[in-house]
């Protein structure tokens, strides 16, 4: 009688694979930060945290996000300036203001703004 253990998932040889994070937002979506007063348009997504430990440790511990979730690169703006932000999924929500983002890099990456979303220029597709 063959008593060999059967792998749980024959494709991965029985190795338990980490849970795959699902991105709630897409490139071109306009979002706002849940805790800080800024909005932005998403131009890139990391499936999990992909920044430096120094950057991560600079976030106050009581509001530090988990690393095992999507992180978004934003062309961001607030009342004072425009900049690039890196934000966890748990700290973002959809922006339903229908107002465009005023950032100098928008025209270089996106070619239109319709129904609250930006459309990437064809040369910027992943």
């Amino acid at each position: 009688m063959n008593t060999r253990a059967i792998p749980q998932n024959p494709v991965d040889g029985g190795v338990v694979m980490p849970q795959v994070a699902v991105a709630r937002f897409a490139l071109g979506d306009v979002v706002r930060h849940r805790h800080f007063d800024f909005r932005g348009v998403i131009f890139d997504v990391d499936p999990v945290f992909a920044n430096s430990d120094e950057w991560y440790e600079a976030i106050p511990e009581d509001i530090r996000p988990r690393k095992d979730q999507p992180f978004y690169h934003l062309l961001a703006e607030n009342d004072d300036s425009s900049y690039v932000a890196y934000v966890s999924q748990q700290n973002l929500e959809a922006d339903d203001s229908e107002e465009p983002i005023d950032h100098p890099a928008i025209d270089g990456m996106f070619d239109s703004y319709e129904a609250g979303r930006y459309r990437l220029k064809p040369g910027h597709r992943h």
Side-chain angles (χ1 to χ4, degrees), residues 63-119:
I63 63 168
R64 194 175 295 155
R66 297 181 333 272
K67 289 184 174 182
D68 64 342
Q69 63 182 306
F71 276 73
Y72 299 86
H73 300 260
L74 310 176
L75 297 178
E77 68 172 0
N78 61 27
D79 289 339
D80 301 322
S81 65
S82 58
Y83 50 96
V84 173
Y86 190 65
V87 185
S88 66
Q89 180 163 276
Q90 77 187 56
N91 285 327
L92 289 177
E93 59 190 14
D95 179 90
D96 57 4
S97 71
E98 303 263 339
E99 294 293 321
I101 299 296
D102 183 22
H103 192 286
I106 293 279
D107 291 339
M109 289 187 187
F110 299 97
D111 63 8
S112 65
Y113 177 75
E114 296 173 11
R117 297 194 78 244
Y118 285 89
R119 195 173 107 189

